[in-house]
């Protein structure tokens, strides 16, 4: 067995057929990274001229003439085959060294242990912790993962949306039912509309204190994946004139009921409910007219960016305007995409990253709780690893430690 450089097409064919395929290993991501100064390689371990393991690998940086090598969500390999792992990384070390690399990093698309809806370990489930032991024996050191380590995933294989909906949390079903009856419309954005999506993510990032992607990132992702049919940017909007008309119709229905109650034997409790509903609608109408005066007739509420690759739909990025969160527009977007995923025979719907699923008081628990309402399960990947290639690795660590020490001493 020997490691070879592969053509893009050779690698793509292997990637598309591999059970651990991820959009982060695609040539499109390689081309995206190249826009930001990275160089890409496709490598594969061959046995009797057949590729048995492969990866898209990126290189960047310059530390005394040496570079970092990184495989996002790589390697595409059988992680339970210890002998294969050892042979592959022995070959890869030589490749990286010959290409002036001093460290190799990766964060495989390989689960650690099986977990349930609440993030608890399933006692009878799979356990891949031996992979971590093998990687350490090879020489890998565990590090924080560049990509998300914890995800929330919904198994949709062979199911319809209505079948899935039966197992949604009651509160999630209630919100969905209301939103599906509302005037909120969801449509897909084209390239020139992407600033609308960027405005949403920017507001959300400032509110939640995380770093947003630049507009050029969303634009490049669109250009790379749209021709392949592998990306969607969705926006949820509300026509305020339609919304006002619906509220007015609802108001008239209740007014008629209230008028009839004067001549019928309607109990006082029912009359009070009518009056309460009228006040609620009047308040909504007042708010709707104020918003219409401020933004015009079209109100942008929420947005989502989705990657459609392999067997899964990935809910990668999203944004919402805080002042309009009460419309629950993100639920309409989730309905559209889960329905799309089931109709098009995808096997799983990946809500992607979660950071906190135990502490209900944590600021990020709400993200998990929203996703949890759709009744999926917590996914824990084995995390990030780095493999020292040359002595430059240890020198770099030493200098970084000294630099951090000096910062702390100030």
């Amino acid at each position: 067995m020997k490691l070879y450089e592969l053509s893009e097409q050779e690698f793509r064919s292997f990637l598309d057929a591999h059970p651990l395929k991820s959009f982060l290993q695609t040539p499109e991501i390689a081309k995206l990274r190249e826009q930001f100064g990275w160089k890409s390689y496709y490598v594969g371990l061959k046995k009797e001229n057949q590729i048995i393991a492969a990866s898209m690998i990126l290189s960047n940086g310059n530390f005394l003439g040496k570079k970092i090598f990184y495989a996002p969500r790589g390697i595409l390999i059988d992680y339970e085959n210890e002998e294969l792992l050892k042979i592959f990384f022995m070959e890869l070390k030589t490749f990286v060294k010959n290409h002036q690399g001093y460290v190799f990093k990766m964060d495989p698309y390989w689960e650690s242990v099986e977990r349930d809806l609440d993030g608890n370990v399933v006692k009878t489930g799979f356990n891949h912790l031996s992979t971590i032991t093998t990687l350490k024996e090879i020489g890998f050191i565990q590090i924080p993962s560049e990509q998300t380590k914890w995800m929330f995933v919904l198994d949709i294989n062979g199911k319809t949306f209505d079948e899935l909906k039966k197992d949604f949390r009651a509160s999630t079903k209630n919100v969905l039912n209301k939103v599906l009856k509302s005037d909120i419309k969801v449509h897909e954005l084209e390239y020139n509309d992407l600033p609308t999506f960027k405005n949403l993510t920017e507001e959300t990032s400032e509110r939640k204190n995380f770093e947003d992607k630049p507009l050029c990132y969303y634009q490049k992702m669109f250009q790379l994946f749209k021709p392949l049919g592998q990306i969607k940017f969705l926006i949820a909007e509300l026509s305020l004139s339609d919304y006002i008309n619906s509220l007015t119709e609802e108001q008239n229905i209740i007014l008629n009921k209230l008028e009839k109650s004067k001549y019928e034997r309607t109990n006082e409790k029912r009359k009070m409910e009518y009056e309460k509903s009228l006040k609620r609608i009047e308040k909504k109408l007042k708010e709707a007219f104020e918003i219409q005066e401020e933004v015009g007739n079209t109100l942008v509420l929420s947005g989502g960016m989705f990657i459609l690759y392999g067997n899964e739909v990935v809910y990668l990025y999203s944004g919402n305007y805080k002042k309009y969160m009460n419309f629950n527009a993100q639920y309409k977007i989730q309905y559209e995409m889960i329905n799309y995923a089931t109709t098009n025979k995808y096997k799983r719907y990946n809500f992607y990253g979660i950071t906190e699923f135990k502490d209900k008081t944590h600021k990020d628990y709400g993200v998990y709780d929203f996703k949890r309402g759709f009744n999926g399960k917590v996914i824990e990947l084995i995390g990030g690893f780095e493999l020292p290639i040359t002595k430059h690795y240890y020198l770099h660590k030493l200098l970084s430690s000294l630099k951090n020490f000096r910062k702390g001493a100030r």
Side-chain angles (χ1 to χ4, degrees), residues 152-154 156 306 313 315 334 337-338 341 348-351:
F152 194 82
V153 171
L154 177 62
I156 61 173
F306 299 85
V313 170
Y315 174 39
Q334 296 306 318
M337 282 309 298
I338 294 174
R348 70 182 199 173
Y349 186 83
N350 191 340
F351 283 95

Side-chain angles (χ1 to χ4, degrees), residues 5-247:
E5 278 200 64
L6 307 175
S7 69
E8 179 183 314
Q9 190 53 54
E10 270 186 301
F11 174 73
R12 192 186 290 275
S13 297
F14 182 81
L15 169 69
D16 288 345
H18 201 277
L20 299 183
K21 56 183 169 284
S22 162
F23 77 94
L24 285 167
Q25 267 285 296
T26 60
E28 285 64 48
I29 291 298
K31 291 166 187 173
L32 173 72
R33 291 274 192 153
E34 285 167 4
Q35 298 293 309
F36 297 95
W38 293 77
K39 180 176 174 58
S40 62
Y41 303 87
Y42 305 105
V43 298
L45 189 70
K46 291 186 178 182
K47 181 180 182 181
E48 298 176 356
N49 211 34
Q50 293 293 314
I51 304 171
I52 57 174
S55 184
M56 179 272 283
I57 300 176
L58 304 161
S59 72
N60 200 354
N62 185 349
F63 176 67
L64 302 178
K66 301 295 182 181
K67 301 174 183 177
I68 294 171
F69 277 69
Y70 172 52
R73 290 292 185 245
I75 304 295
L76 302 168
I77 196 170
D78 179 0
Y79 283 94
E80 294 184 289
N81 188 329
E82 292 184 25
E83 182 183 0
L84 183 60
L85 282 172
K86 289 175 181 178
I87 292 171
F88 183 92
F89 288 115
M90 181 177 66
E91 289 282 314
L92 186 65
K93 282 184 75 171
T94 301
F95 176 87
V96 172
K97 188 174 183 179
N98 289 342
H99 287 77
Q100 305 305 308
Y102 73 93
V103 63
F104 169 76
K105 299 184 178 186
M106 66 175 186
D107 33 38
Y109 211 32
W110 182 240
E111 290 183 55
S112 176
V113 293
E114 188 171 355
R115 293 180 180 270
D116 61 16
L117 170 70
D118 300 311
N120 298 316
V121 174
V122 178
K123 292 180 180 179
T124 57
F126 60 77
N127 186 316
H128 295 152
L129 294 177
S130 60
T131 299
I132 297 175
T133 301
T134 302
L135 291 175
K136 287 181 176 179
E137 289 173 358
I138 291 169
F140 276 96
I141 299 165
Q142 280 189 288
I143 59 171
S145 177
E146 181 173 324
Q147 308 301 330
T148 185
K149 174 180 166 65
W150 296 90
M151 305 184 300
F152 194 82
V153 171
L154 177 62
D155 177 14
I156 61 173
N157 193 16
K159 299 175 183 177
T160 65
F161 179 84
D162 288 337
E163 287 172 337
L164 292 169
K165 187 182 174 186
K166 290 177 183 177
D167 294 323
F168 291 174
R169 188 168 56 199
S171 58
T172 298
K173 284 191 280 190
N174 289 338
V175 174
L176 266 173
N177 290 336
K178 290 177 182 178
V179 169
L180 293 178
K181 292 176 183 176
S182 73
D183 294 298
I184 295 171
K185 300 292 189 297
V186 173
H187 72 270
E188 190 172 349
L189 296 180
E190 295 301 325
Y191 180 84
N192 291 335
D193 301 318
L194 292 179
T196 300
F197 180 76
K198 167 62 180 173
N199 290 339
L200 279 163
T201 59
E202 190 171 307
E203 197 268 359
T204 305
S205 67
E206 290 174 357
R207 184 176 78 246
K208 295 193 172 183
N209 195 30
F210 66 85
E211 187 175 350
D212 188 21
K213 298 289 187 183
L215 176 60
C216 63
Y217 166 83
Y218 299 120
Q219 291 172 328
K220 192 64 181 177
M221 288 290 283
F222 186 99
Q223 291 171 330
L224 289 167
F225 286 98
K226 187 64 175 179
L228 303 174
Q230 293 177 353
I231 195 168
K232 285 181 179 290
F233 287 88
L234 298 187
I235 287 289
E237 295 179 336
L238 181 64
S239 165
L240 288 163
S241 58
D242 289 347
Y243 179 53
I244 289 168
N245 287 338
S246 294
L247 288 173

Side-chain angles (χ1 to χ4, degrees), residues 223-285:
Q223 291 171 330
L224 289 167
F225 286 98
K226 187 64 175 179
L228 303 174
Q230 293 177 353
I231 195 168
K232 285 181 179 290
F233 287 88
L234 298 187
I235 287 289
E237 295 179 336
L238 181 64
S239 165
L240 288 163
S241 58
D242 289 347
Y243 179 53
I244 289 168
N245 287 338
S246 294
L247 288 173
T248 303
E249 287 177 13
E250 189 179 352
Q251 184 183 47
N252 289 334
I253 289 170
I254 295 173
L255 282 170
N256 287 335
K257 288 180 178 180
L258 194 59
E259 183 65 24
K260 287 180 180 179
S261 71
K262 295 178 181 178
Y263 309 101
E264 298 173 354
R265 289 187 175 182
T266 304
N267 62 48
E268 288 301 315
K269 185 177 180 181
R270 180 64 59 86
K271 288 181 182 179
M272 288 176 65
E273 287 176 359
Y274 290 153
E275 290 169 354
K276 188 176 180 180
S277 295
L278 277 176
K279 288 181 179 179
R280 174 181 56 82
I281 294 170
E282 286 169 2
K283 182 182 178 182
K284 285 186 175 183
L285 277 169

